[in-house]
């Protein structure tokens, strides 16, 4: 693995290249991106592609990618521009791309703005509120996460986040009638760490979940776009957004093993089924 820093006027972007450039066998690089997850979250998944050149990166303002623009919000269009610059720096496009969660949203924005950058995109469970029939209620549930975080800190906010993302079905009056989620219920202490800058629990990444697909641009792009959903995500927030996003694009979501973090090993204590997930990803890319 080699690590590179791509300096731009707004951010210094750190990315890692696992394998040779130029690539072997004529296959394009396989780029893996997340948001707010950094490159480290793909270490297990990348290990199942020893025959491919895999590229991972830290989104601007996260991990090793230092922002210089004085801003804190995370916007898919801006992050798409960053990924475009990384692909240009590789000199090996168009690439194949796997985007997870907010990274899937960035990837969809990338294909919209730079359709010649990506040959095949696998967008795994993009958390796109606007595609939901209960979008207004989902925005209210999202706002409650931020309120809990602002009032009582990380553990309270994370408990609210877990409650939202594990809720089955639409966000109904029953959902909002529940008492506030208790961190102890999820094995977390109640203490407040005093910080309010978490990209997941604050409003800094609301532009990600509020992103509106440009359906016509995506349909017109030469990129093969595959929307992926975990088999264990049926009925929960990101499972519903994945299925709805695929329907908006006129197709069905492709089912992958496990849950929202199904490709993870032991990186964050939320392991999925990475070997089976990688096998399915290889199958989809080779189709």
């Amino acid at each position: 693995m080699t690590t590179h820093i791509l300096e731009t006027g707004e951010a210094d972007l750190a990315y890692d290249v696992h394998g040779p450039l130029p690539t072997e066998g004529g296959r394009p690089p396989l780029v893996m991106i997340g948001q707010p997850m950094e490159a480290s979250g793909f270490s297990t998944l990348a290990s199942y592609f020893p025959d491919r050149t895999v590229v991972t990166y830290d989104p601007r303002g996260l991990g090793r990618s230092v922002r210089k623009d004085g801003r804190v919000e995370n916007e898919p269009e801006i992050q798409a521009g960053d990924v475009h610059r990384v692909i240009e720096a590789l000199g090996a496009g168009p690439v194949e791309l796997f985007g997870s969660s907010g990274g899937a949203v960035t990837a969809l924005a990338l294909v919209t703005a730079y359709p010649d950058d990506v040959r095949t995109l696998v967008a795994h469970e993009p958390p796109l509120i606007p595609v939901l029939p209960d979008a207004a209620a989902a925005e209210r549930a999202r706002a409650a996460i931020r309120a809990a975080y602002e009032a009582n800190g990380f553990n309270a906010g994370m408990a609210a986040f877990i409650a939202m993302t594990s809720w089955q079905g639409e966000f109904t009056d029953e959902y909002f009638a529940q008492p506030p989620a208790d961190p102890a219920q999820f094995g977390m202490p109640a203490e407040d760490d005093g910080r309010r800058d978490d990209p997941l629990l604050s409003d800094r990444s609301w532009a990600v979940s509020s992103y509106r697909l440009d359906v016509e641009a995506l349909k017109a792009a030469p990129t093969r776009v595959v929307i992926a959903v975990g088999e264990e995500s049926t009925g929960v927030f990101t499972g519903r957004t994945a299925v709805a996003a695929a329907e908006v694009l006129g197709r069905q979501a492709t089912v992958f093993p496990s849950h929202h973090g199904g490709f993870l090993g032991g990186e964050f204590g939320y392991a999925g089924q990475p070997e089976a997930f990688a096998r399915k990803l290889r199958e989809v890319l080779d189709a």
Side-chain angles (χ1 to χ4, degrees):
M1 184 189 79
T2 58
T3 297
H4 307 262
I5 301 296
L6 177 60
E7 296 185 6
T8 76
E10 296 181 342
D12 293 340
L13 305 172
Y15 66 96
D16 303 314
V17 179
H18 308 250
L21 280 176
T23 60
E24 295 178 346
R27 291 295 298 271
L30 172 55
V31 179
M32 300 178 178
I33 62 173
Q35 168 65 36
M37 193 178 73
E38 305 158 14
S40 60
F42 293 106
S43 58
T44 298
L45 182 60
S47 73
Y48 287 104
F49 290 87
D51 57 321
R52 299 289 303 273
T53 295
V54 175
V55 180
T56 56
Y57 98 123
D58 291 352
R60 65 165 63 192
L62 299 172
R64 303 160 296 170
S65 292
V66 179
R67 295 188 81 147
K68 301 182 289 189
D69 59 359
R71 300 170 63 180
V72 296
E73 69 277 11
N74 300 303
E75 298 179 353
E77 297 88 347
I78 291 175
Q79 303 222 358
D82 290 342
V83 177
H84 170 68
R85 293 183 184 93
V86 170
I87 292 171
E88 280 191 322
L90 295 173
V95 303
E96 293 183 326
L97 198 153
F98 171 72
S100 165
S101 193
V105 179
T106 296
L108 290 163
L110 172 70
V111 171
T112 299
Y114 306 98
D116 295 324
D117 277 4
V118 183
R119 179 181 298 181
T120 297
L121 163 62
V122 179
H124 183 248
E125 299 198 7
L128 298 165
I129 288 177
V131 300
L132 294 177
D134 57 326
E139 289 176 350
R140 180 183 171 191
R142 181 184 65 179
I145 294 173
R146 178 178 180 267
Y149 178 57
E150 290 292 333
N152 297 303
F154 179 86
N155 294 312
M158 182 54 69
F161 176 81
I162 296 171
M164 176 185 175
T165 55
S166 61
W167 179 259
Q168 280 285 333
E170 296 189 6
F171 296 104
T172 60
D173 291 342
E174 182 184 358
Y175 175 81
F176 295 107
Q178 298 178 109
D182 182 0
Q185 178 184 354
F186 305 106
M188 297 183 293
E191 287 78 13
D192 185 344
D193 63 3
R195 299 185 62 175
R196 297 295 185 271
D197 58 355
D198 187 87
L200 185 65
L201 304 178
S202 67
D203 60 355
R204 296 184 175 194
S205 296
W206 278 16
V208 175
S209 51
S210 293
Y211 181 75
R212 293 184 178 274
L213 295 175
D214 187 332
V215 175
E216 295 308 313
L218 289 169
K219 287 183 175 180
T223 307
R224 180 168 68 105
V225 177
V226 178
I227 306 295
V229 62
E231 62 186 356
E232 297 175 28
S233 297
T234 302
V236 300
F237 174 62
T238 54
R240 292 199 300 126
T241 58
V243 170
E247 290 176 350
V248 165
L249 294 174
R251 62 203 67 182
Q252 289 187 327
T254 299
V255 178
F256 271 62
S258 198
H259 46 61
H260 188 64
F263 56 89
L264 293 171
E267 290 91 347
F268 307 114
Y270 181 54
Q273 301 173 36
E275 183 174 4
F277 194 101
R279 192 160 51 243
K280 180 65 176 182
L281 178 57
R282 186 182 292 274
E283 173 189 314
V284 170
L285 293 174
D286 289 346

